[in-house]
Amino acid sequence: GAVVSQHPSRVICKSGTSVKIECRSLDFQATTMFWYRQFPKQSLMLMATSNEGSKATYEQGVEKDKFLINHASLTLSTLTVTSAHPEDSSFYICSASRRGPRQETQYFGPGTRLLVL
Amino acid sequence: GENVEQHPSTLSVQEGDSAVIKCTYSDSASNYFPWYKQELGKRPQLIIDIRSNVGEKKDQRIAVTLNKTAKHFSLHITETQPEDSAVYFCSSSGSARQLTFGSGTQLTVLP
């Protein structure tokens, strides 16, 4: 149990376009979903935390108007990178946590590799 | 906010030897400390975690120790195998359940 999927796995887009990434919890209800960004050979950096039905909480330095997060249901969160630029190229990973005795455990999706040309 | 430091950044060991990775954290309110293994281009995988009410936890060849007073926690891998080669991240979280990650350790197990 506790499987998280992400779609697409990789995307190449032109500068100025928008890209939407989906994160789904397949076999559990995710009370909270997290979005991370990971540059090559670096650690995971938390971008934002989202709870179902409420606005996402963004980390310092992350532009909420550029990285739009929607958590419309207990199994789906989306991250939209608006007007993407080459510096947004990165590995975007979501994670989800659930209710219950191990609610602090985060289950990670497989990641989305974004390349902006 | 929380700050997690991890050492070493790279670690090479001979197959069969032990590997130790150490982390420190800054927020005394942190109470959950998971360790993740990440292979190149893949998702982080939880390998072991420890909560602040215990000082040590073991799962086969992997063990984690926690010293809350000193704000240190460590990962120990015994009898290393080539398939243990990966990047390992320590992390911590508190009541907000947000994970703060260390900078990672590239472990290479030499056959």
Side-chain angles (χ1 to χ4, degrees), chain A residues 23 33 50-54 69-78:
Chain A
C23 177
M33 286 186 168
S50 74
N51 295 294
E52 186 261 342
S54 61
I69 292 172
N70 184 281
H71 193 161
S73 75
L74 282 172
T75 58
L76 173 64
S77 177
T78 61

Side-chain angles (χ1 to χ4, degrees), chain A residues 4 31-32 34 36 38 42-44 46 49 59 91 93 97 102-106 108-110 113, chain B residues 32 36 38 40-46 49 51 57 89 93-94 96-99 101-104:
Chain A
V4 177
T31 51
T32 306
F34 305 86
Y36 296 85
Q38 186 178 33
Q42 294 190 22
S43 187
L44 287 83
L46 180 65
T49 303
E59 294 301 297
F91 193 47
I93 313 175
S97 60
R102 290 186 63 88
Q103 59 182 295
E104 64 277 304
T105 300
Q106 292 186 24
F108 283 85
R113 190 160 302 282
Chain B
Y32 175 61
Y36 288 88
Q38 187 180 32
L40 190 62
K42 301 285 182 65
R43 78 183 82 195
Q45 290 186 306
L46 178 68
D49 57 14
R51 288 170 176 78
K57 183 177 178 181
F89 292 98
S93 77
R97 294 190 286 132
Q98 294 173 333
L99 289 175
F101 284 84
S103 53

